[in-house]
Amino acid sequence: MASEHYVIIGNGAAANGAADILREGDPESRITLISREFFPFYNRHRLRFFISDEVSEDELVVRPPAHYREQGVRLRLGQEVQRVDLKEKILYLKHMEKVHYTRLLLCCGGWPRIPEVHYTYRQHFTVLKGLSHARAFREKLAGIKRVLMVGGDLISVKMTDTLLRMGKEVVFMVDRDSFWPLTLTDEMRAGFAERLTGHGAEVLVDDEITGIVEVKSGYEVMTRRKEKISCGLVGAFFGLVPKVEFLYSSGLDIDRGILVDDHLRSSDPDVYAAGDCAQIWNPELNNYWVSIGWENAGILGEVAARNMLGESATAGTPKDRALDYEGVKVNTSWWQIYD
Amino acid sequence: MTDRKHIDVTFRICGAAGDGSLAAGSFLNHAAARMGYHIMNIDLYPAEIRGFGKSVAHTRISDRPVQTPGELADCLVALNDPHAISELNTLAEGAVILYDSNPPNYVEEDEAVAGFVEPGMIGYGVPLGELSAIATKSARSRNIVSLGALAGIFRIPAEYLRDAIRARFSRKSAEIVEMNLRAFDLGHDYARTELVKADAIDFGERVPGARDDVAVVSGNDAVAKACLDAGVRLYAGYPITPATRIMEILAKELPKQGGVVVQTEDEISAIGHAIGGGFAGKRSLTATSGPGLSLMSEFLNLAVMAEVPVVVVNGQRGGPSTGLPTKTEQSDLNIAVFGGAGDSPRPVIAPADVTECYELTVKAFEVADAFQTPVIVLTDLFLGNRMEDITWPEGDSGRWGRYEDRLADPSDGEEYRRFEVTPDGVSPRSVPGTPGLYYPATGLEHDERGFPEYSPENHLRMTEKRYRKFDTLRALWPAPEPEGPDGDLEVGIISWGSTIGTAREALGHLNAGEARVGGFFPRLVWPLHNEALRAFSARSRVLIVAEGNHSGQLANVVESIVCREIIRVTEIPAGPISSRKIIEAAGGMSG
Amino acid sequence: MKKETGHSGVGGQASGYPFSDESPRISEHPQDLDYIRANIPCQWACPARTNIPGYISANYGEHFDASYLINRASNLLPGILGRICSRPCEDACRHGDPDLGEPVAICPLKRVAADHRLEKVPPEAQVFGRSGKTVGVVGAGPAGLAAAHSLSVFGHDVVVYEQFDHAGGMLWYGIPEFRLPSAVIEEEIGFIENLGVEFRFGERLGEDFTVPDLLERHDAAVVSAGCTRPYQLGIPGADLKGYYTGLDFMMRINRGETPEVGERIIVIGAGFTAFDCARSALRCGAKDVSICILAVEELLTVTREEVLEAKRENIRIESLLQSQEILGTDTIEGVRFARNRLGGVDEKGERITTPIEGSEFVLPADTVIAAIGQQPERDHSAIGLDREPVFDEAGTSDVEGLFITGDFLTGASTVIGSVGKAKQTATLVDEYLMGRTRRKSLVMIDPTEDTHRQRSWDFIERQEMPLLPMEDRLQGHSAEVELGLTPEQNLEESKRCYLCNLKYEIHIPDCIYCRWCIDQCPRECIGLAKDVKPTGGHLGADVEWTERWDEVAGIVIDNDRCIRCGICLRICPTRCIYVRLVNLVERYDVGEEVADGE
């Protein structure tokens, strides 16, 4: 056991949950966390309070680097895995270093999704997932009055509340694809619109962007129905996609996310996945599901770690409603949409 | 470390042989000095003299005078990852690491410096190899690209660095100059457009005061130039680290002034040649290091006895024996002062910095001539190799003595007494072979005319005469001016040679607070100005002697003069002493 | 010390190249063909063996006529393939190897040559006199056209029988205009007609004539009737209104019809046809188009560009779906799917998908297009034979004078695959008619002084294809979406090619083992060799590598890893590194002498 080297890609809730279990269960092993972000493990769902200046960067930190030194966990921050060789069990990092693992846990999370139909406008969009996004968001927000939010997802509705509280005007264009990969019923969408309007946002439904021009004061957005929306920032909130491109060449089974069984084991017996990047088989549902959210991720990280240690833990059934926005409840399992 | 008002940044550019880390450091030194910054640079090599090892250019740049090279670096440039990883423990908190973000080949786990960048450090990845290939079609200009990146990140005025590059490649084709400037510009532009600045080091494109007369030179360079300016006619030597550089320069330059450089078969022969030159009335020297100085002991005694002017520059390194050939130390004071058999007085001079290497080497020749004695100049590897920005001192200042000054006049008609007993201990010289001024010069005790004479009366008279030169010298050479506040001191710090800079830095640091700390820094380390030393001691509640040897070689001498307890800061860290050690010692004492 | 070439002696040729005084310029040695396979991966991956480094070099010099001709000599249809080729070459391109970046845009560069050439009609190489033999070719698709072209060049009289009223086959009927404009097809087919090939339209094998008829009329027959019989889903509901097969749907559109599609379209299938159907359906006015695939997006074989463009046009790709029933009464209302699990790999190397019991659900739809491929209609009785003929891989049959080729032989493949196969078959037909092999693949080896490469070019990014803005795309079917690389992009993109047809070699007797090349090499492709054994060919060598200096017999460049950056060449202090140009070319054997095929 002493020769085990557990490598965890990611430094979020799932990754840290897993690292704790692995350290506890295998005190002699080497454990390495590799994260693209340079910032230590931080509280992602509080980013909007950072944007509104209610908390500082330091207050976002959940675990400082010293914690990992104490735990004997090697923390590699700001480092990117470029590809994985499953056969040789080597990770190839972007800065041209090889890292050998004996067991690999993928907690690489999600990344803001820009639907391909909006590709043309992607350089005009401001997105929000990590701290670097939040920093940029905050910077752009200074000195502007009006924000256009397009899309519609978990983050966007809460962010809208924050923006309104900050005294910004918010125009919310609910995309037909909102809450992707879920498909909302018209009734649900109307419910959202009503509540957003109630909070003071101007809500546009059944409309789409037909052009964006960058002007001195921000952006002028042309839409199909309304002539022109002037705003200082266009926030794009189309949900997250698992960041798994770097795994494509590995031969690992990937659909939207990394396909794993109930034990979170992927198509390679020594590779596991947990958190937002995993597409989990659930024998009860007879279907795949994807976890969304912090709490689930931590639990899944622990489950994966237990299985990596040789136990037999199951991911269980997803929580029914991960999203509950003032009574509008959305089931977050990806594959229940066709019921 | 840089604060808001002042620039004070220590760079370490680390690479393997052939990576050009030292060249990059040299460009940085020259450009910074031209801008009016003060620099101190020390190039570090592996312990082996030859081989494909690590080489590090260590440069401290400040807008205030620099006393030491700085202990911890604020910025590490990694041109070779495994070597750079071994340098990580030399970094200050929050240091910047510049590395090649896209090297051509994968390395094994833990062999990439980028893998070690953690919160608390700032890593900037620049595709050094790629940009180098674009600029010069090879990976050999990675050092220049990294220099451009440094300029971009820290906003160092680029034009001065470009000038330094131009000057370096001026003998090459215009195309090579252009390619290297392009490499610099690519690095600069990359840093400006692709990197997000996360550190606090900011030169702000500031040029504190452009200096055209500035020279960036090492202690050895300064010694060599001093020899040339002092009118040396003969250098004889046997190569040894760290003194070889002096011989290299003189071999090139001395013949142009009609002088002669002889590489002898060993150090004994080398000083023999130099004594011959001195005897013949021409300024002569040899330069060596500890092992060589040991071999020269007996010939030095001859020069004392026969009263022949000769200068020996001794670049100290770790000993005994061949010891640590590439590591600095200050452990040759004992042999310099006490290394003679019999009662063998010889002045020992130790410069503190590069400018003094020049001034005091010139002075050493003057003392040798004026007092007809061998003079030992003690530099060390660190002082000899370190580069500083200096302005060459004015030429003919305060020359004390020349050979001609005490020349006997053959027309006196009296019997010529070469070793005449005089009040100042100095006797009339003659050019050997001058009719009427013939005399025997021998290692045997002699009478005033030079003939062997062993009577106890004569021996005492002559020994006293030779030692009387010290009194004359003490009177002529101004006593050290104590540094720091007047009046009573909580701590008095005494130091010598290259450690003076360290001691001064400690002094500045300690006196920035409430403390009252003073410094006593003799350059003439033998004979010491005993009265001045005792006076300084009397003012100091606690006395510290800081030096780069283990046994406290100066401290022993000082102790015997001041007859009190001394706190010894004696360090042999294979490099310059850290001012932190002195501060800790003084802090502990002054409470 | 044995040298790589197996020859000894220094000096020789005027160029100063030390190896080649005895080595021939042209080689047929199988080891040299092996060298091409390992070292010029793009050319070997191309079923038609297009000389890709050769034409990209021409592109770099903006010699577009020459580039077009190099292409045409191998693949016949550069303008067409430059648009719709499945690009096996780009998958093989060394520039796309791990950590080396993106493959060279080989296919778009081909199109540049076609778009920007000055000569509208390429001069035809008539290297052979008329043979007096005639050959009947069935089908005017890519394979038929390629076979007809080759046979005509060999001097035979060729008649092409085509069931429809236009030549081109799948090119004409199966691929939408917005990907392949008809004018491009017409022009390149016109070049073949100009050779004197006779086309007879409206003649369908098995209906209007049989194979025995053909063999009676001609000295040989080549059947390249393609794959026209669509695979069916084999699920209930295929009889409902609103159900199409992919080929049927595309043929309707390419005939100018606008099929009724309703708002919601489900396309079942994962190939180019599925994507063509989905994108065409949008242009018929559909609002909501999904492509439902058995496995996952990552495993799709269509190009990434195709997937991205489909998505930009707002087409969804739904993965891991097994269709089970098309639902509706009279008209289609939806499709019932089961969720698939991804299993292992089958014997053909394809991923196994297994529907999960109890995971069924329904997706609503107005139209269902099943684009899951076609098979050849190879029923022996239908084509007038009394038994199933036996074919070998190259298309020779056990029926005297009968050959088959293209997709009819191999099952559904690609345009470039059909062209490549048909050329191979045509060479056999000619051999059958004339009694000897008159066309051969040969390796040409020439010393070169200049590599025409700069190291900095290795860092140029792949040029992005300029595209028609979205608002101009969806009106009708004819607006071509890809606009072709601009001449400026052509220059940048052609610089990216490593020119793998350059072979770097160290002349060991002149090497002083200074290591400079090894130290500076960005690919670790120069190594220490313990022994270098000649293989008998002129290019390859069996190298026994070593790490130990005390057993080094020479320093050798591994051309399989080499990216031809030229650093070693420039840095070598003794100039002991030499470069040869190695090209795989086709040569016609006209009897006494060998003529250039290009």
Side-chain angles (χ1 to χ4, degrees), chain A residues 83 248 253 255 286 335, chain C residues 99 298 319 339 351 357 363:
Chain A
R83 63 188 162 93
Y248 281 167
D253 281 353
D255 181 23
N286 241 341
W335 306 108
Chain C
D99 314 311
E298 192 213 336
S319 50
R339 177 67 58 207
R351 293 304 301 266
E357 236 175 90
L363 285 182

Side-chain angles (χ1 to χ4, degrees), chain B residues 277-330:
Chain B
F279 177 69
K282 301 296 177 189
R283 283 192 166 174
S284 304
L285 88 152
T286 181
T288 187
S289 185
L293 188 62
S294 303
L295 291 177
M296 293 177 185
S297 290
E298 182 43 31
F299 254 137
L300 276 167
N301 282 334
L302 172 66
V304 171
M305 192 57 135
E307 304 197 33
V308 178
V310 66
V311 171
V312 179
V313 177
N314 182 59
Q316 302 167 93
R317 65 185 208 190
S321 189
T322 29
L324 293 78
T326 59
K327 303 293 177 194
T328 197
E329 213 163 87
Q330 291 180 288

Side-chain angles (χ1 to χ4, degrees), chain C residues 248-566:
Chain C
D248 176 39
F249 186 77
M250 286 315 304
M251 284 180 70
R252 283 167 190 262
I253 286 173
N254 282 328
R255 285 203 184 99
E257 297 172 26
T258 303
E260 238 352 273
V261 292
E263 291 214 338
R264 291 172 301 186
I265 318 293
I266 285 178
V267 180
I268 299 172
F272 280 105
T273 309
F275 281 78
D276 285 343
C277 288
R279 295 177 72 184
S280 296
L282 269 188
R283 288 159 173 79
C284 293
K287 290 275 173 283
D288 186 345
V289 183
S290 301
I291 298 173
C292 297
I293 60 178
L294 289 172
V296 294
E297 206 179 303
E298 192 213 336
L299 299 173
L300 286 173
T301 52
V302 298
T303 61
R304 276 177 312 153
E305 287 87 345
E306 185 68 26
V307 175
L308 178 63
E309 286 318 303
K311 286 176 157 185
R312 289 184 69 168
E313 292 174 5
N314 214 356
I315 290 164
R316 295 162 195 257
I317 297 171
E318 305 284 0
S319 50
L320 293 173
L321 291 181
Q322 174 75 51
S323 59
Q324 299 204 312
E325 185 180 1
I326 302 171
L327 305 169
T329 46
D330 299 339
T331 56
I332 290 174
E333 286 161 17
V335 180
R336 184 160 51 81
F337 286 102
R339 177 67 58 207
N340 277 337
R341 293 188 76 168
L342 220 44
V345 180
D346 69 12
E347 66 276 8
K348 278 191 283 179
E350 281 172 19
R351 293 304 301 266
I352 297 166
T353 55
T354 318
I356 298 149
E357 236 175 90
S359 65
E360 291 80 4
F361 55 87
V362 174
L363 285 182
D366 302 313
T367 296
V368 173
I369 302 170
I372 53 171
Q374 294 83 233
Q375 54 184 324
E377 296 183 58
R378 226 158 52 182
D379 235 348
H380 64 266
S381 56
I383 57 175
L385 292 176
D386 50 9
R387 63 180 173 86
E388 184 73 43
V390 180
F391 299 102
D392 69 12
E393 202 185 44
T396 314
S397 82
D398 62 347
V399 177
E400 178 78 15
L402 174 65
F403 296 82
I404 71 170
T405 194
D407 286 3
F408 195 75
L409 171 68
T410 61
S413 70
T414 58
V415 176
I416 190 68
S418 297
V419 169
K421 185 56 79 178
K423 279 179 60 189
Q424 193 188 347
T425 310
T427 306
L428 294 176
V429 174
D430 182 63
E431 197 181 324
Y432 165 76
L433 293 173
M434 307 305 291
R436 66 191 175 93
T437 307
R438 299 203 295 169
R439 181 161 65 184
K440 283 178 184 166
S441 283
L442 299 169
V443 179
M444 270 178 49
I445 307 161
D446 292 301
T448 177
E449 293 284 301
D450 194 342
T451 66
H452 303 286
R453 286 274 300 143
Q454 290 183 19
R455 168 69 174 143
S456 55
W457 295 354
D458 295 345
F459 309 117
I460 299 172
E461 300 274 320
R462 181 177 164 121
Q463 301 295 303
E464 265 187 53
M465 174 63 70
L467 297 167
L468 193 66
M470 202 54 67
E471 57 266 31
D472 300 329
R473 283 195 194 178
L474 300 183
Q475 290 85 26
H477 296 274
S478 58
E480 191 177 8
V481 171
E482 295 190 346
L483 302 176
L485 299 181
T486 63
E488 296 73 37
Q489 287 182 302
N490 167 67
L491 266 186
E492 289 304 291
E493 190 61 37
S494 32
K495 284 181 195 168
R496 295 184 70 236
C497 177
Y498 289 152
L499 301 182
C500 295
N501 59 347
L502 297 171
K503 182 179 195 298
Y504 281 69
E505 293 156 301
I506 295 175
H507 188 234
I508 292 168
D510 293 345
C511 173
I512 56 169
Y513 300 85
C514 68
R515 298 176 57 106
W516 280 18
C517 57
I518 297 177
D519 289 347
Q520 293 286 316
C521 175
R523 269 291 275 176
E524 292 178 337
C525 68
I526 308 180
L528 313 179
K530 196 176 170 182
D531 196 9
V532 185
K533 290 192 185 72
T535 57
H538 303 287
L539 296 170
D542 283 333
V543 179
E544 196 181 335
W545 301 99
T546 178
E547 298 274 313
R548 292 176 45 183
W549 273 101
D550 59 354
E551 37 179 57
V552 170
I555 296 188
V556 176
I557 298 173
D558 180 357
N559 274 271
D560 196 6
R561 270 188 71 76
C562 170
I563 58 169
R564 280 73 170 161
C565 68

